[in-house]
Amino acid sequence: MDVSHLLDELNEAQREAVTTESQNTLVLAGAGSGKTRVLIHRLAWLIQVEHISPLSILAVTFTNKAAGEMRERAQKLLQVSVRPMWIGTFYGIAHRLLRMHWEEAGLPENFQILDADDQHRILRRLIKEEGLDEGQWPARQAQWFINARKDEGQRPHAIEHMDNPLTAQWLRIYEIYQAYCQRAGLVDFADLLLYAHELWLNQPSLLKHYRKRISHLLVDEFQDTNSIQYAWIRMLAGDTGSTMVVGDDDQSIYGWRGAQVENVKHFVRDFAGVKTIKLEQNYRSTGTILNAANALIANNEDRMGKKLWTADGEGEPITLYSAFNEQDEARYVIEQVEQWLGKGRRANEVAIVYRTTSQSRLFEDYLLRASVAFRVYGGQRFFERAEIRDALAYLRLLQNPNDDAAIERVINAPARGIGQKTLSILRLQARESSLPLWAAAQQCIKQDLLPARASAAVKAFIQLIAGMHERMSEWTLGNQMQGVIEASELVSHYEKEPREKMESRVENLRELVNAADAFVMPAEDEESGMTELQSFLSHAALEAGETQGEAWDDCVQLMTLHSAKGLEFPLVFIVGLEDGLFPHQRSVTEAGGRLEEERRLCYVGMTRAREQLCLSYAELRRMFGSENRCRASRFLDEIPAELIREVRPRMQVQRPWASPRAPVYRKNDPAVRQDWPFQLGQTVSHAKFGHGTVVSFEGSGEHTRVQVNFNQAGAKWLVLAYAKLSPV
């Protein structure tokens, strides 16, 4: 039989994986090594050469997109329909299994699947019915607790609370929720796999049937499997099944959502006679990028071990830019993007990658100024995010308490006992009295039109806003923003969410303070008599209104490192490489391999680049309204110096005794523009703010802006043409 079409396009290691006779096989597939091709060709080899029935093969992926791609490519290679084959996600296959065997699983025939929002709503209602304070027992946290237990394969009766009252209460909520779902015939996503696993455990004859029917298992992205997924695979395979798992322990970056990189090693331990095949030839990146990534990941302990290489050339050195501050970093990156476009390259060939979502704001801002189309991949633009809109709504009320839209948004955010029924009364009163909601609320309180509890809650909200206005009216914009976030208790509100989401929201709020603190009122706004607060709110509204590019448009891609997994671009910028930011502070302080996961995340980011990789960090970064000195990421020290070209030599930031907040840089620095009237570190004077030190600049011509750290007024961004600065 002619099998050339299955093997001709493969390298030696890929051929070995496709044609292996081993019962169980671990394919360690490095980034860009063609793992999907290996899976597809293995599937085709089993059918066409080993004459395995398509119905006897189960192929599992992690996303519907990956499953669709596998079906499409398999069908093209086999030239026959693959519709009868079991190809899908863990959840999709589990769902199919439960629909076929609902009775054996103890489910109603017409059971319904709960999405995350429905699950949250049900938990909120059950917690309320239980008489619990949702402020103390938030539904989001309950949702995280329940799903995490299910991912570990634990029903309520299998969990010991060890006389811990906190655990005992969460367990009680789990029990109530599970009982409700059973009565109503509901199954959430985490339940799908747990029910499917319990089906094997409780129905030995059914398990025997499927072990006989499914003779070959193919599992993609194995490093991302959690406990219940691994147990399900192991149970189905038994001692007779043939299992091939494809993964990369160096790309395991989802530990925060339950993925266990240890499963890669457990596979070798738990399955008989495992043959390990390494795919190390990379078809994506240059030799320089791969050598840097190899050197970085080698610092992780207890790896399975592999070293990526390419048959192509070494390529260009990796660029490293040491920025004065975050504005300088954003300015440099966008200048490089413009140069790339000036060479006739496309915008969609460029990705700007960062550790936290809050970092996107400055790059969005600079791309807008440069009129370069962009898209925030897999997320919202900064000023469109819910937590940002919430904080800005409070700020809008400081400017104008009659802003009905702002009141509607935050009157019960965070929750303060003002529900839709109360809001309906306020809206009716406003409509009948032709008043804004603010005045209508005061009227309702005065005329006793609300129930006592609702009246007290509305009164407290009015006092909160009035108190903010009284205290903050004379504050700087940055202090107002910080004061609003603190007084509204938005941070405490979002801290009740699952950790990863919570941290992202809190970091975004901190960045909003930075944005307010660094805001420079445009000259035209000042001339029109607008206050700084009015100008900033207008700026935020306009930026939120700017439509970002669609997925198919030619635009620069902005994304987190986690979102970048599975993607590739000719030019990649990894920004914010500072200890505490990347690696993230919690990875440094927490045990459990967090730092190693951060290093794997950096490895993933570096291996997204095909032609050019640019790294950058800031020596100073404003965090929550204050400027902080930064230490370059330890990951940079793990990359061989000969692979890096430093655009601007690394510099140590020093602070003079006369002005503790003002940084001083080396004179004659190559990054200082020769046509600029001032030097970085120079002392200047302003009519309103007094003496200060020049720390940064951006733009050109009449749009040139300068950042000055004033001894008394703090850091300010000023338009040079209007600032009337004079040297001291």
Side-chain angles (χ1 to χ4, degrees):
M1 182 181 185
D2 184 14
V3 295
S4 58
H5 66 294
L6 298 178
L7 303 178
D8 283 353
E9 297 179 359
L10 308 180
N11 63 39
E12 186 177 343
Q14 291 172 335
R15 288 180 184 179
E16 184 183 6
V18 168
T19 62
T20 182
E21 296 180 358
S22 174
Q23 178 185 1
N24 297 307
T25 309
L26 167 63
V27 181
L28 282 177
S33 62
K35 68 176 179 66
T36 305
R37 174 179 289 182
V38 165
L39 275 172
I40 301 298
H41 284 246
R42 173 64 177 172
L43 192 152
W45 179 269
L46 291 172
I47 295 171
Q48 293 193 339
V49 179
E50 298 189 15
H51 305 294
I52 304 297
S53 168
L55 297 176
S56 297
I57 302 171
L58 177 65
V60 187
T61 66
F62 266 81
T63 66
N64 289 319
K65 182 182 176 183
E69 183 183 358
M70 185 178 287
R71 288 193 197 93
E72 186 178 335
R73 291 175 62 175
Q75 185 160 309
K76 187 176 179 181
L77 192 62
L78 291 165
Q79 296 294 309
V80 295
S81 174
V82 297
R83 190 171 180 179
M85 295 179 62
W86 286 55
I87 300 175
T89 65
F90 277 102
Y91 296 111
I93 289 172
H95 178 235
R96 179 176 176 180
L97 192 68
L98 294 175
R99 288 294 181 194
M100 294 168 63
H101 303 285
W102 56 270
E103 195 169 11
E104 295 97 325
L107 292 168
E109 184 177 7
N110 61 342
F111 71 85
Q112 298 297 310
I113 298 176
L114 282 176
D115 63 21
D117 288 341
D118 289 336
Q119 185 187 29
H120 178 251
R121 275 193 293 271
I122 289 170
L123 280 165
R124 282 193 68 181
R125 180 158 60 84
L126 293 174
I127 289 168
K128 187 176 181 180
E129 289 174 357
E130 194 67 8
L132 298 172
D133 179 9
E134 200 187 336
Q136 187 178 358
W137 306 99
R140 291 289 183 201
Q141 203 164 331
Q143 193 173 11
W144 174 85
F145 176 87
I146 293 168
N147 292 342
R149 301 292 81 74
K150 289 181 179 182
D151 286 345
E152 291 293 323
Q154 295 177 319
R155 293 293 187 194
H157 63 81
I159 304 171
E160 291 288 337
H161 56 72
M162 307 299 288
D163 295 324
N164 183 320
L166 191 66
T167 305
Q169 186 58 69
W170 287 125
L171 186 55
R172 171 63 180 158
I173 294 170
Y174 184 2
E175 290 172 343
I176 294 168
Y177 168 76
Q178 200 60 41
Y180 174 86
C181 288
Q182 288 173 345
R183 288 195 308 270
L186 301 173
V187 176
D188 58 45
F189 275 99
D191 253 341
L192 287 171
L193 276 165
L194 187 50
Y195 269 117
H197 184 248
E198 291 167 343
L199 188 66
W200 301 146
L201 285 172
N202 301 329
Q203 302 290 336
S205 60
L206 196 63
L207 174 61
K208 184 179 179 181
H209 165 78
Y210 276 100
R211 280 177 172 176
K212 186 177 180 180
R213 177 178 171 178
I214 307 293
S215 59
H216 287 76
L217 277 75
L218 304 174
V219 186
D220 194 12
E221 302 287 5
F222 188 68
Q223 77 279 350
D224 294 332
T225 52
N226 60 26
S227 295
I228 192 67
Q229 289 164 345
Y230 181 80
W232 190 82
I233 293 167
R234 190 180 175 191
M235 181 76 69
L236 179 59
D239 297 325
T240 57
S242 178
T243 305
M244 173 179 283
V245 300
V246 181
D248 183 4
D249 56 330
D250 290 335
Q251 294 190 77
S252 180
I253 60 174
Y254 298 115
W256 49 273
R257 68 183 189 196
Q260 296 186 344
V261 65
E262 299 83 4
N263 287 346
V264 178
K265 287 193 170 182
H266 291 169
F267 180 78
V268 178
R269 180 196 67 190
D270 296 337
F271 286 70
V274 173
K275 180 180 182 179
T276 300
I277 301 171
K278 297 180 182 180
L279 303 185
E280 297 175 299
Q281 185 174 356
N282 178 280
Y283 294 93
R284 177 187 299 155
S285 306
T286 66
T288 297
I289 293 170
L290 295 179
N291 290 336
N294 286 332
L296 173 83
I297 203 64
N299 290 276
N300 273 3
E301 300 177 357
D302 211 25
R303 299 170 55 232
M304 298 293 289
K306 66 181 181 313
K307 191 172 182 180
L308 297 178
W309 61 276
T310 180
D312 298 329
E314 292 302 302
E316 297 183 21
I318 295 168
T319 299
L320 174 63
Y321 185 69
S322 168
F324 296 122
N325 53 25
E326 68 270 28
Q327 287 91 2
D328 184 34
E329 180 183 46
R331 176 196 58 78
Y332 171 78
V333 169
I334 304 317
E335 282 182 357
Q336 299 308 300
V337 172
E338 289 180 301
Q339 289 182 23
W340 178 268
L341 299 176
K343 296 174 184 175
R345 303 298 297 263
R346 295 177 63 84
N348 61 12
E349 296 177 324
V350 181
I352 301 172
V353 187
Y354 35 78
R355 178 62 180 85
T356 66
T357 59
S358 63
Q359 292 170 260
S360 76
R361 182 189 67 85
L362 269 176
F363 296 97
E364 291 178 37
D365 188 21
Y366 276 72
L367 285 163
L368 278 171
R369 294 186 206 174
S371 299
V372 176
F374 69 91
R375 177 174 177 79
V376 180
Y377 183 89
Q380 294 175 304
R381 290 180 51 185
F382 183 81
F383 285 105
E384 293 172 346
R385 295 165 191 167
E387 60 276 17
I388 302 301
R389 288 181 178 270
D390 287 348
L392 289 175
Y394 277 105
L395 206 62
R396 282 160 53 192
L397 289 177
L398 291 191
Q399 178 198 300
N400 176 21
N402 296 327
D403 187 334
D404 283 2
I407 288 178
E408 293 240 15
R409 184 170 188 92
V410 298
I411 194 169
N412 202 45
R416 47 177 64 90
I418 304 174
Q420 286 301 315
K421 188 176 179 180
T422 302
L423 263 176
S424 296
I425 296 172
L426 298 183
R427 292 187 191 112
L428 179 63
Q429 184 67 17
R431 192 162 55 248
E432 291 181 348
S433 304
S434 299
L435 294 171
L437 277 175
W438 180 265
Q442 293 175 312
Q443 199 173 79
C444 285
I445 294 168
K446 190 176 180 179
Q447 298 177 11
D448 291 328
L449 300 177
L450 294 170
R453 191 172 177 181
S455 181
V458 173
K459 188 176 181 180
F461 173 73
I462 290 172
Q463 289 172 341
L464 172 69
I465 303 303
M468 284 184 188
H469 188 273
E470 186 177 345
R471 292 195 311 274
M472 302 176 195
S473 56
E474 301 300 319
W475 290 9
T476 66
L477 182 61
N479 287 340
Q480 283 182 324
M481 193 73 261
Q482 187 166 342
V484 158
I485 291 170
E486 291 175 354
S488 64
E489 299 183 342
L490 281 173
V491 171
S492 302
H493 170 60
Y494 288 120
E495 281 178 343
K496 296 168 184 175
E497 295 191 343
R499 192 177 71 175
E500 193 71 18
K501 184 178 277 188
M502 174 273 291
E503 287 178 343
S504 176
R505 292 194 190 278
V506 172
E507 285 163 350
N508 284 334
L509 289 173
R510 288 174 178 167
E511 182 58 27
L512 182 60
V513 175
N514 295 339
D517 200 59
F519 179 71
V520 179
M521 190 190 310
E524 57 268 26
D525 287 1
E526 194 167 2
E527 290 169 2
S528 65
M530 293 175 70
T531 65
E532 193 176 27
L533 176 56
Q534 289 171 330
S535 180
F536 178 72
L537 289 171
S538 297
H539 163 76
L542 289 169
E543 287 231 346
E546 290 279 351
T547 306
Q548 66 172 325
E550 299 292 344
W552 54 84
D553 289 342
D554 183 26
C555 48
V556 173
Q557 303 293 305
L558 295 154
M559 65 188 70
T560 64
L561 283 147
H562 284 98
S563 298
K565 178 88 164 36
L567 305 175
E568 59 183 70
F569 303 89
L571 172 60
V572 172
F573 296 90
I574 302 179
V575 300
L577 276 156
E578 303 137 31
D579 269 5
L581 186 56
F582 191 34
H584 200 279
Q585 185 59 42
R586 72 166 181 270
S587 71
V588 180
T589 56
E590 291 183 11
R594 291 290 183 186
L595 182 59
E596 293 208 345
E597 183 162 319
E598 288 287 291
R599 187 175 283 110
R600 292 195 292 269
L601 192 57
C602 189
Y603 174 84
V604 166
M606 293 171 69
T607 54
R608 300 310 95 195
R610 291 191 348 226
E611 301 174 25
Q612 294 183 32
L613 175 62
C614 299
L615 312 176
S616 64
Y617 71 97
E619 294 170 352
L620 288 167
R621 187 173 293 275
R622 184 168 289 275
M623 300 292 287
F624 223 161
S626 62
E627 215 163 46
N628 298 285
R629 293 168 62 178
C630 303
R631 179 184 179 274
S633 172
R634 63 193 69 192
F635 297 154
L636 293 174
D637 294 329
E638 296 171 358
I639 301 172
E642 63 270 17
L643 302 177
I644 290 177
R645 177 174 64 87
E646 295 194 44
V647 176
R648 173 176 171 269
R650 303 188 198 188
M651 298 164 57
Q652 295 298 315
V653 177
Q654 300 177 349
R655 296 174 182 267
W657 66 269
S659 179
R661 293 181 295 174
V664 174
Y665 304 100
R666 289 178 189 166
K667 291 184 178 180
N668 303 317
D669 191 278
V672 177
R673 293 197 340 225
Q674 299 303 310
D675 61 340
W676 210 55
F678 302 107
Q679 299 296 307
L680 292 167
Q682 184 174 355
T683 302
V684 294
S685 178
H686 185 271
K688 180 179 177 182
F689 302 123
H691 288 185
T693 304
V694 176
V695 297
S696 187
F697 69 89
E698 63 182 26
S700 60
E702 63 181 13
H703 300 295
T704 300
R705 300 202 311 166
V706 55
Q707 188 184 31
V708 182
N709 248 339
F710 291 102
N711 297 344
Q712 302 299 322
K716 300 287 183 183
W717 277 100
L718 305 169
V719 179
L720 190 60
Y722 302 98
K724 297 180 181 179
L725 295 173
S726 56
V728 176

